[in-house]
Amino acid sequence: MSAASSALVLFSGGQDSTTCLAWALKRFERVETLAFDYGQRHRIELEARLAVRREIVARFPAWAPRLGDDHLIDLGVLGAISETSLTREVAFAVERDGLPNSFVPGRNLAFLVFAGALAWRRGIADLVGGMCETDYSGYPDCRDATMRAMEQALSLGLGRSLRLHTPLMWLDKAETWQLAERLGGDALVDLIAAETHTCYLGERGLRHDWGHGCGICPACTLRARGHAA
Ligand code: ZN
């Protein structure tokens, strides 16, 4: 297996990372997936991701043979050093500095360091992540400039050229739904609505046309609005 034909997707089991997984399955001969357990309140996403992988194999025969190993890395230490609404039972709010309190400082930076290390060990030179600076709530670790800097830092620090693909960087949520439709048609849009998890509160609850979730938290609001658009 040549490294150039393999990719490692940061795959949390949400709408964005599932769209990225489909994007990678279209382009690479072998695609591995990676998630992190950092004590997130919406831990249900860790189960959703297995359901997504299962359904992709069942519904997309062309992609099924390309879907490789799945990896789960324990980053509980992130929850230990951050007091945020994603890792603690506190309400969502916007802090004085303008950042939502769902911001886990350094989260994507830490994710990428471990993803890079895993990719190095697996002989993979292409990382794929759903970071986006269009609907990004102001998280500084989702910005394109941050990603380009990390790509360079990882390539230098690992002593191997590593590409970091962020296909959603300039898309809003409506365009992300559209991208899913282009990649996998109605079947993929249905799969994303039915199986992925985005709600910050970890609520499955009612099935709306855009999927499951509380319908009120920032993640649900974005997803629902994008779907309607
Ligand atoms: Zn929600």
Side-chain angles (χ1 to χ4, degrees), residues 44-107:
I44 195 165
E45 70 179 14
L46 296 178
E47 291 158 36
R49 58 195 298 284
L50 298 179
V52 169
R53 281 180 52 100
R54 209 167 43 236
E55 290 303 311
I56 282 182
V57 168
R59 300 191 215 173
F60 295 89
W63 292 349
R66 299 179 167 211
L67 187 58
D69 288 354
D70 181 47
H71 311 270
L72 181 66
I73 294 178
D74 184 350
L75 277 187
V77 66
L78 262 186
I81 57 170
S82 65
E83 283 283 341
T84 82
S85 62
L86 280 197
T87 51
R88 296 276 189 279
E89 292 285 326
V90 293
F92 291 97
V94 174
E95 304 282 7
R96 264 195 309 256
D97 57 8
L99 273 175
N101 66 350
S102 50
F103 175 57
V104 181
R107 178 176 58 164

Side-chain angles (χ1 to χ4, degrees), residues 147-186:
M147 293 304 107
R148 300 286 70 87
M150 282 304 286
E151 180 179 64
Q152 198 180 8
L154 289 171
S155 294
L156 287 169
L158 293 168
R160 212 182 261 180
S161 171
L162 200 139
R163 285 171 297 274
L164 173 52
H165 305 271
T166 51
L168 311 185
M169 183 56 73
W170 309 110
L171 306 185
D172 62 21
K173 272 284 184 286
E175 292 166 326
T176 300
W177 281 109
Q178 278 173 347
L179 175 60
E181 193 174 35
R182 272 205 307 282
L183 291 166
D186 288 343

Side-chain angles (χ1 to χ4, degrees), residues 198-203 213-221:
T198 306
C199 176
Y200 278 162
L201 299 182
E203 219 168 271
C214 74
I216 299 163
C217 78
C220 281
T221 310

Side-chain angles (χ1 to χ4, degrees), residues 13-15 42 44-45 48 92 177 192-224:
Q15 176 189 352
H42 48 304
I44 195 165
E45 70 179 14
F92 291 97
W177 281 109
I192 287 172
E195 307 294 347
T196 67
H197 184 86
T198 306
C199 176
Y200 278 162
L201 299 182
E203 219 168 271
R204 287 302 280 170
L206 274 182
R207 167 67 204 272
H208 313 268
D209 54 351
W210 46 268
H212 292 273
C214 74
I216 299 163
C217 78
C220 281
T221 310
L222 268 178
R223 176 168 164 151

